[in-house]
Amino acid sequence: LEPMLAPGVRGGVRVDGDHQADPKRLARALLTACERAGVVFHRAEARRLLVEADRATGAELADGSRVRADRTVLCL
């Protein structure tokens, strides 16, 4: 019933109501939804966080450019 299992798996248990999301598909769907909602992604290395009054206001990127925003998310 599960096509993603390795050929060496000899058995398993099916539990009705126990669901799982594919994290790769979920990430792609979230990225698409964000872009359609107008979110702008900058896929670049952040050199340093820009801070004003103890609040993150953007980032300085590896190429020296600065990106300012109301909300700043740094992730890997």
Side-chain angles (χ1 to χ4, degrees):
L1 294 173
E2 176 53 60
M4 299 298 287
L5 290 177
V9 174
R10 296 184 176 261
V13 176
R14 179 187 162 120
V15 179
D16 287 330
D18 184 20
H19 304 287
Q20 180 178 338
D22 178 339
K24 290 179 182 178
R25 290 180 68 191
L26 179 61
R28 280 194 303 267
L30 180 59
L31 179 64
T32 299
C34 287
E35 287 174 336
R36 287 180 181 167
V39 174
V40 177
F41 291 92
H42 297 272
R43 293 172 181 89
E45 181 181 344
R47 179 177 292 156
R48 70 184 187 96
L49 193 61
L50 302 178
V51 178
E52 293 176 15
D54 293 329
R55 186 176 174 283
T57 57
E60 180 180 313
L61 304 180
D63 66 1
S65 64
R66 291 182 170 202
V67 179
R68 296 200 176 271
D70 293 334
R71 293 174 187 88
T72 302
V73 178
L74 298 177
C75 60
L76 300 174

Coordinates of all heavy atoms in Angstrom, one line a residue:
L1 N 0.8 -1.2 0.0 CA 0.0 0.0 0.0 C 0.8 1.3 0.0 O 0.4 2.3 -0.4 CB -0.9 0.0 1.2 CG -2.0 -1.1 1.3 CD1 -2.7 -1.0 2.6 CD2 -3.0 -0.9 0.1
E2 N 2.1 1.2 0.5 CA 2.9 2.4 0.6 C 4.1 2.3 -0.4 O 5.0 1.5 -0.2 CB 3.5 2.5 2.0 CG 4.5 3.6 2.2 CD 4.0 5.0 1.7 OE1 2.9 5.4 2.2 OE2 4.5 5.6 0.8
P3 N 4.0 3.0 -1.5 CA 5.0 2.9 -2.6 C 6.4 3.4 -2.2 O 7.4 3.1 -2.9 CB 4.4 3.7 -3.7 CG 3.5 4.7 -3.1 CD 3.0 4.0 -1.8
M4 N 6.5 4.2 -1.2 CA 7.8 4.9 -0.8 C 8.7 4.0 0.1 O 9.7 4.4 0.5 CB 7.6 6.2 -0.2 CG 6.9 7.2 -1.1 SD 7.8 7.6 -2.6 CE 9.1 8.6 -2.0
L5 N 8.2 2.8 0.5 CA 9.0 2.0 1.4 C 10.1 1.3 0.6 O 9.9 0.9 -0.5 CB 8.1 0.9 2.0 CG 7.1 1.4 3.1 CD1 6.2 0.2 3.6 CD2 7.7 2.0 4.2
A6 N 11.2 1.0 1.3 CA 12.3 0.4 0.7 C 12.0 -1.1 0.4 O 11.2 -1.7 1.1 CB 13.5 0.4 1.6
P7 N 12.5 -1.7 -0.6 CA 12.2 -3.0 -1.0 C 12.5 -4.1 0.1 O 11.9 -5.1 0.2 CB 13.1 -3.3 -2.2 CG 13.5 -2.0 -2.7 CD 13.5 -1.0 -1.6
G8 N 13.5 -3.7 1.0 CA 13.8 -4.7 2.0 C 12.8 -4.7 3.2 O 13.0 -5.6 4.1
V9 N 11.9 -3.8 3.3 CA 10.9 -3.8 4.3 C 10.0 -5.0 4.1 O 9.3 -5.2 3.1 CB 10.1 -2.5 4.4 CG1 9.0 -2.6 5.4 CG2 11.0 -1.3 4.7
R10 N 9.8 -5.9 5.2 CA 9.0 -7.1 5.0 C 7.6 -7.0 5.6 O 6.8 -7.9 5.4 CB 9.8 -8.3 5.7 CG 11.1 -8.6 5.0 CD 11.7 -9.8 5.6 NE 12.9 -10.2 4.9 CZ 13.0 -11.1 4.0 NH1 11.9 -11.8 3.7 NH2 14.1 -11.4 3.4
G11 N 7.4 -6.0 6.4 CA 6.1 -5.9 7.0 C 5.8 -4.5 7.5 O 6.7 -3.6 7.5
G12 N 4.6 -4.3 8.0 CA 4.2 -3.0 8.5 C 2.8 -3.1 9.1 O 2.1 -4.1 9.0
V13 N 2.4 -2.0 9.7 CA 1.1 -1.9 10.3 C 0.3 -0.7 9.7 O 0.9 0.4 9.7 CB 1.1 -1.8 11.9 CG1 -0.2 -1.6 12.5 CG2 1.9 -3.0 12.5
R14 N -0.9 -1.0 9.3 CA -1.7 0.1 8.8 C -2.6 0.6 9.9 O -3.3 -0.2 10.5 CB -2.5 -0.3 7.6 CG -3.4 0.8 7.1 CD -4.4 0.3 6.0 NE -5.4 1.3 5.8 CZ -5.7 1.9 4.7 NH1 -5.0 1.6 3.7 NH2 -6.7 2.7 4.6
V15 N -2.5 1.9 10.2 CA -3.3 2.5 11.3 C -4.2 3.5 10.6 O -3.8 4.6 10.2 CB -2.5 3.1 12.4 CG1 -3.3 3.7 13.5 CG2 -1.5 2.1 13.0
D16 N -5.5 3.3 10.6 CA -6.5 4.2 10.0 C -6.4 5.5 10.8 O -6.4 5.5 12.1 CB -7.9 3.7 10.0 CG -8.1 2.6 9.0 OD1 -7.4 2.7 7.9 OD2 -8.9 1.7 9.2
G17 N -6.4 6.6 10.2 CA -6.4 7.9 10.8 C -5.0 8.5 11.1 O -4.9 9.6 11.6
D18 N -4.0 7.7 10.9 CA -2.6 8.1 11.2 C -2.1 8.6 9.8 O -1.8 7.8 8.9 CB -1.8 6.9 11.7 CG -0.4 7.3 12.0 OD1 -0.1 8.5 12.3 OD2 0.5 6.5 12.1
H19 N -1.9 9.9 9.7 CA -1.6 10.5 8.5 C -0.2 11.2 8.6 O 0.3 11.5 9.7 CB -2.6 11.6 8.0 CG -4.0 11.0 7.9 ND1 -4.3 10.1 6.9 CD2 -5.1 11.1 8.7 CE1 -5.6 9.8 7.1 NE2 -6.0 10.3 8.2
Q20 N 0.4 11.4 7.4 CA 1.7 12.1 7.4 C 1.8 12.9 6.1 O 1.3 12.5 5.1 CB 2.8 11.0 7.4 CG 4.2 11.6 7.3 CD 5.2 10.4 7.4 OE1 5.0 9.4 7.8 NE2 6.4 10.7 6.9
A21 N 2.4 14.1 6.2 CA 2.6 14.9 5.1 C 4.0 14.8 4.5 O 5.0 14.6 5.3 CB 2.4 16.4 5.4
D22 N 4.2 14.8 3.2 CA 5.5 14.8 2.6 C 6.1 16.1 2.8 O 5.7 17.1 2.2 CB 5.3 14.4 1.1 CG 6.7 14.4 0.3 OD1 7.7 14.9 0.8 OD2 6.7 13.7 -0.7
P23 N 7.2 16.2 3.6 CA 7.8 17.6 3.8 C 8.3 18.3 2.6 O 8.2 19.5 2.5 CB 8.9 17.3 4.8 CG 9.2 15.8 4.7 CD 7.9 15.2 4.2
K24 N 8.8 17.6 1.6 CA 9.2 18.3 0.4 C 8.0 18.9 -0.4 O 8.1 20.0 -0.9 CB 10.0 17.3 -0.5 CG 11.3 16.9 0.1 CD 12.0 15.9 -0.8 CE 13.4 15.5 -0.2 NZ 14.1 14.5 -1.0
R25 N 7.0 18.1 -0.5 CA 5.8 18.7 -1.2 C 5.1 19.8 -0.4 O 4.7 20.8 -1.0 CB 4.8 17.6 -1.4 CG 5.2 16.5 -2.5 CD 4.2 15.5 -2.7 NE 3.1 16.0 -3.3 CZ 1.9 15.4 -3.5 NH1 1.8 14.1 -3.0 NH2 0.9 15.9 -4.1
L26 N 5.1 19.7 0.9 CA 4.6 20.7 1.8 C 5.4 22.0 1.6 O 4.8 23.1 1.5 CB 4.6 20.3 3.2 CG 4.0 21.3 4.2 CD1 2.6 21.6 3.9 CD2 4.1 20.7 5.6
A27 N 6.7 21.9 1.6 CA 7.6 23.1 1.5 C 7.3 23.8 0.1 O 7.3 25.0 0.0 CB 9.0 22.7 1.6
R28 N 7.2 23.0 -1.0 CA 7.0 23.5 -2.3 C 5.6 24.3 -2.3 O 5.5 25.3 -2.9 CB 7.0 22.4 -3.4 CG 8.4 22.1 -3.8 CD 8.4 21.2 -5.1 NE 7.6 20.0 -4.9 CZ 8.1 18.8 -4.6 NH1 9.4 18.7 -4.3 NH2 7.3 17.8 -4.5
A29 N 4.6 23.6 -1.7 CA 3.3 24.2 -1.7 C 3.3 25.5 -0.9 O 2.7 26.5 -1.3 CB 2.3 23.3 -1.1
L30 N 4.0 25.6 0.2 CA 4.1 26.8 1.1 C 4.8 27.9 0.3 O 4.4 29.0 0.3 CB 4.8 26.5 2.4 CG 4.9 27.6 3.3 CD1 3.6 28.2 3.7 CD2 5.7 27.2 4.6
L31 N 5.9 27.5 -0.4 CA 6.6 28.5 -1.2 C 5.7 29.1 -2.2 O 5.7 30.3 -2.4 CB 7.9 27.9 -1.8 CG 8.7 28.7 -2.6 CD1 9.3 29.9 -1.8 CD2 9.8 27.9 -3.3
T32 N 5.0 28.3 -2.9 CA 4.1 28.7 -4.0 C 3.0 29.6 -3.4 O 2.7 30.7 -4.0 CB 3.5 27.5 -4.7 OG1 4.5 26.8 -5.3 CG2 2.5 28.0 -5.8
A33 N 2.4 29.2 -2.3 CA 1.4 30.1 -1.7 C 1.9 31.4 -1.3 O 1.2 32.4 -1.5 CB 0.7 29.3 -0.5
C34 N 3.1 31.4 -0.7 CA 3.7 32.7 -0.2 C 3.9 33.6 -1.4 O 3.6 34.8 -1.4 CB 5.0 32.4 0.5 SG 4.7 31.7 2.2
E35 N 4.5 33.1 -2.5 CA 4.8 33.9 -3.7 C 3.5 34.4 -4.3 O 3.5 35.6 -4.7 CB 5.6 33.1 -4.7 CG 7.1 32.9 -4.2 CD 7.9 31.9 -5.1 OE1 7.3 31.1 -5.8 OE2 9.1 32.0 -5.1
R36 N 2.5 33.6 -4.3 CA 1.2 34.1 -4.9 C 0.6 35.2 -4.0 O -0.1 36.1 -4.5 CB 0.2 33.0 -5.0 CG 0.6 32.0 -6.1 CD -0.4 30.9 -6.3 NE 0.0 30.0 -7.4 CZ -0.6 28.8 -7.6 NH1 -1.5 28.4 -6.8 NH2 -0.2 28.1 -8.6
A37 N 0.9 35.2 -2.7 CA 0.4 36.2 -1.8 C 1.3 37.5 -1.8 O 1.0 38.4 -1.0 CB 0.3 35.6 -0.4
G38 N 2.4 37.5 -2.6 CA 3.2 38.6 -2.7 C 4.4 38.7 -1.8 O 5.1 39.7 -1.7
V39 N 4.7 37.5 -1.1 CA 6.0 37.5 -0.3 C 7.2 37.5 -1.3 O 7.2 36.8 -2.3 CB 6.0 36.2 0.5 CG1 7.3 36.0 1.3 CG2 4.8 36.2 1.5
V40 N 8.2 38.3 -0.9 CA 9.4 38.3 -1.7 C 10.5 37.6 -1.0 O 10.8 37.8 0.2 CB 9.8 39.8 -1.9 CG1 11.2 39.9 -2.7 CG2 8.8 40.6 -2.6
F41 N 11.1 36.6 -1.6 CA 12.2 35.8 -1.1 C 13.5 36.3 -1.7 O 13.6 36.5 -2.9 CB 12.0 34.3 -1.4 CG 10.8 33.7 -0.7 CD1 9.6 33.6 -1.2 CD2 11.0 33.2 0.6 CE1 8.5 33.1 -0.6 CE2 9.9 32.6 1.3 CZ 8.7 32.5 0.7
H42 N 14.5 36.5 -0.8 CA 15.9 36.8 -1.2 C 16.7 35.6 -0.9 O 17.0 35.4 0.3 CB 16.4 38.0 -0.5 CG 15.6 39.3 -0.8 ND1 15.9 40.1 -1.9 CD2 14.5 39.8 -0.2 CE1 15.0 41.0 -2.0 NE2 14.2 40.9 -1.0
R43 N 17.1 34.8 -1.9 CA 17.9 33.6 -1.7 C 19.4 34.0 -1.8 O 20.0 33.8 -2.8 CB 17.5 32.6 -2.7 CG 16.1 32.0 -2.4 CD 15.7 31.1 -3.6 NE 14.3 30.7 -3.4 CZ 13.3 31.3 -3.8 NH1 13.4 32.4 -4.5 NH2 12.1 30.8 -3.6
A44 N 19.9 34.5 -0.7 CA 21.3 34.9 -0.6 C 21.8 34.8 0.8 O 21.1 34.8 1.7 CB 21.4 36.4 -1.1
E45 N 23.1 34.7 0.9 CA 23.7 34.6 2.2 C 23.6 36.0 2.9 O 24.0 37.0 2.4 CB 25.2 34.2 2.1 CG 25.9 34.0 3.4 CD 27.3 33.7 3.2 OE1 27.8 33.2 2.1 OE2 28.1 33.8 4.2
A46 N 23.2 35.9 4.2 CA 23.1 37.1 5.0 C 24.4 37.3 5.7 O 24.9 36.4 6.4 CB 21.9 37.0 6.0
R47 N 25.0 38.4 5.6 CA 26.3 38.7 6.2 C 26.1 39.1 7.7 O 26.7 38.7 8.6 CB 27.1 39.8 5.5 CG 28.4 40.1 6.1 CD 29.2 41.2 5.3 NE 29.6 40.6 4.1 CZ 29.8 41.3 3.0 NH1 29.7 42.6 2.9 NH2 30.2 40.6 1.9
R48 N 25.1 40.0 7.8 CA 24.7 40.4 9.2 C 23.3 40.9 9.2 O 22.7 41.3 8.2 CB 25.7 41.5 9.7 CG 25.6 42.8 9.0 CD 26.6 43.8 9.6 NE 26.4 45.2 9.0 CZ 25.7 46.1 9.7 NH1 25.2 45.9 10.9 NH2 25.5 47.3 9.1
L49 N 22.7 40.9 10.4 CA 21.4 41.3 10.7 C 21.4 42.8 10.9 O 22.3 43.4 11.6 CB 20.8 40.6 11.9 CG 19.3 40.7 12.2 CD1 18.5 40.1 11.1 CD2 19.0 40.0 13.5
L50 N 20.5 43.6 10.3 CA 20.3 45.0 10.5 C 19.4 45.2 11.7 O 18.3 44.7 11.7 CB 19.8 45.7 9.3 CG 20.6 45.5 8.0 CD1 19.9 46.3 6.9 CD2 22.0 46.1 8.2
V51 N 19.8 45.9 12.7 CA 19.0 46.1 14.0 C 18.9 47.6 14.3 O 19.9 48.3 14.2 CB 19.7 45.4 15.1 CG1 18.9 45.6 16.4 CG2 19.8 43.9 14.8
E52 N 17.7 48.0 14.6 CA 17.4 49.4 15.1 C 16.5 49.3 16.3 O 15.5 48.6 16.2 CB 16.8 50.2 14.0 CG 17.7 50.4 12.8 CD 16.9 51.2 11.6 OE1 15.9 51.8 11.9 OE2 17.5 51.2 10.5
A53 N 16.9 49.9 17.4 CA 16.2 50.0 18.6 C 15.8 48.6 19.1 O 14.6 48.2 19.4 CB 14.9 50.8 18.4
D54 N 16.8 47.7 19.1 CA 16.6 46.3 19.5 C 15.6 45.5 18.7 O 14.9 44.6 19.1 CB 16.2 46.2 21.0 CG 17.3 46.7 21.9 OD1 18.5 46.5 21.5 OD2 17.0 47.2 23.0
R55 N 15.4 45.9 17.4 CA 14.5 45.2 16.5 C 15.2 44.9 15.2 O 15.8 45.8 14.6 CB 13.3 46.1 16.3 CG 12.2 45.5 15.5 CD 11.0 46.4 15.5 NE 9.9 45.9 14.6 CZ 10.0 45.9 13.3 NH1 11.0 46.5 12.7 NH2 9.0 45.4 12.6
A56 N 15.0 43.7 14.7 CA 15.5 43.4 13.4 C 14.8 44.1 12.3 O 13.5 44.2 12.3 CB 15.4 41.9 13.1
T57 N 15.5 44.8 11.4 CA 14.9 45.7 10.4 C 15.3 45.2 9.0 O 14.9 45.8 8.0 CB 15.2 47.1 10.6 OG1 16.7 47.2 10.5 CG2 14.7 47.7 11.9
G58 N 16.1 44.1 8.9 CA 16.5 43.6 7.6 C 17.8 42.9 7.7 O 18.2 42.5 8.8
A59 N 18.5 42.8 6.6 CA 19.8 42.1 6.6 C 20.7 42.7 5.5 O 20.3 43.2 4.5 CB 19.6 40.6 6.3
E60 N 22.0 42.6 5.8 CA 23.0 43.0 4.8 C 23.4 41.6 4.2 O 23.8 40.7 4.9 CB 24.2 43.6 5.5 CG 25.3 44.0 4.5 CD 26.5 44.7 5.1 OE1 26.3 45.6 6.0 OE2 27.6 44.3 4.8
L61 N 23.4 41.6 2.9 CA 23.7 40.3 2.1 C 25.2 40.3 1.8 O 25.9 41.2 1.9 CB 22.8 40.3 0.9 CG 21.3 40.4 1.1 CD1 20.6 40.3 -0.2 CD2 20.8 39.3 2.1
A62 N 25.6 39.1 1.4 CA 27.0 38.8 1.1 C 27.6 39.8 0.0 O 28.7 40.1 0.1 CB 27.2 37.4 0.7
D63 N 26.7 40.2 -0.9 CA 27.2 41.1 -2.0 C 27.2 42.6 -1.5 O 27.5 43.5 -2.3 CB 26.3 41.0 -3.2 CG 24.9 41.4 -3.0 OD1 24.5 41.9 -1.9 OD2 24.1 41.3 -4.0
G64 N 26.9 42.8 -0.2 CA 26.9 44.2 0.3 C 25.6 44.9 0.2 O 25.5 46.0 0.9
S65 N 24.7 44.4 -0.5 CA 23.4 45.1 -0.6 C 22.6 44.9 0.7 O 22.9 43.9 1.5 CB 22.6 44.5 -1.8 OG 22.3 43.1 -1.6
R66 N 21.7 45.8 0.9 CA 20.9 45.7 2.2 C 19.4 45.6 1.8 O 18.9 46.2 0.9 CB 21.1 47.0 3.0 CG 22.5 47.1 3.6 CD 22.6 48.3 4.4 NE 23.9 48.3 5.2 CZ 24.1 48.9 6.2 NH1 23.2 49.8 6.7 NH2 25.2 48.8 6.9
V67 N 18.8 44.7 2.5 CA 17.4 44.4 2.4 C 16.7 44.8 3.6 O 17.0 44.3 4.7 CB 17.1 42.9 2.1 CG1 15.6 42.7 1.9 CG2 17.9 42.5 0.8
R68 N 15.8 45.8 3.6 CA 15.0 46.2 4.7 C 13.6 45.7 4.6 O 13.0 45.6 3.5 CB 15.0 47.7 4.8 CG 16.4 48.3 5.1 CD 16.4 49.7 5.6 NE 17.7 50.2 5.9 CZ 18.3 50.0 7.1 NH1 17.7 49.3 8.1 NH2 19.5 50.4 7.3
A69 N 13.0 45.4 5.8 CA 11.6 44.9 5.8 C 11.0 45.1 7.2 O 11.7 45.2 8.2 CB 11.7 43.4 5.5
D70 N 9.7 45.1 7.2 CA 8.9 45.1 8.4 C 9.1 43.8 9.2 O 9.1 43.8 10.4 CB 7.4 45.3 8.2 CG 7.1 46.7 7.6 OD1 7.9 47.6 7.8 OD2 6.1 46.8 6.9
R71 N 9.2 42.7 8.5 CA 9.4 41.4 9.1 C 10.6 40.7 8.4 O 10.7 40.7 7.2 CB 8.2 40.5 8.9 CG 7.0 41.1 9.7 CD 5.8 40.2 9.4 NE 4.6 40.8 10.1 CZ 3.8 41.8 9.5 NH1 4.1 42.2 8.3 NH2 2.8 42.2 10.1
T72 N 11.5 40.2 9.2 CA 12.7 39.6 8.7 C 12.8 38.2 9.2 O 12.7 38.0 10.4 CB 14.0 40.4 9.1 OG1 13.9 41.7 8.6 CG2 15.2 39.7 8.5
V73 N 13.0 37.2 8.3 CA 13.1 35.8 8.7 C 14.4 35.3 8.1 O 14.6 35.3 6.9 CB 12.0 34.9 8.2 CG1 12.2 33.5 8.6 CG2 10.6 35.4 8.7
L74 N 15.3 34.8 9.0 CA 16.6 34.2 8.5 C 16.4 32.7 8.7 O 16.1 32.2 9.8 CB 17.8 34.7 9.3 CG 18.1 36.2 9.2 CD1 19.2 36.6 10.1 CD2 18.3 36.6 7.8
C75 N 16.7 31.9 7.7 CA 16.6 30.5 7.8 C 17.6 29.8 6.9 O 18.2 30.4 6.0 CB 15.2 30.0 7.4 SG 14.7 30.5 5.7
L76 N 17.9 28.6 7.2 CA 18.8 27.8 6.4 C 18.1 27.0 5.3 O 17.0 26.6 5.5 CB 19.6 26.9 7.3 CG 20.4 27.6 8.4 CD1 21.0 26.5 9.3 CD2 21.5 28.4 7.8

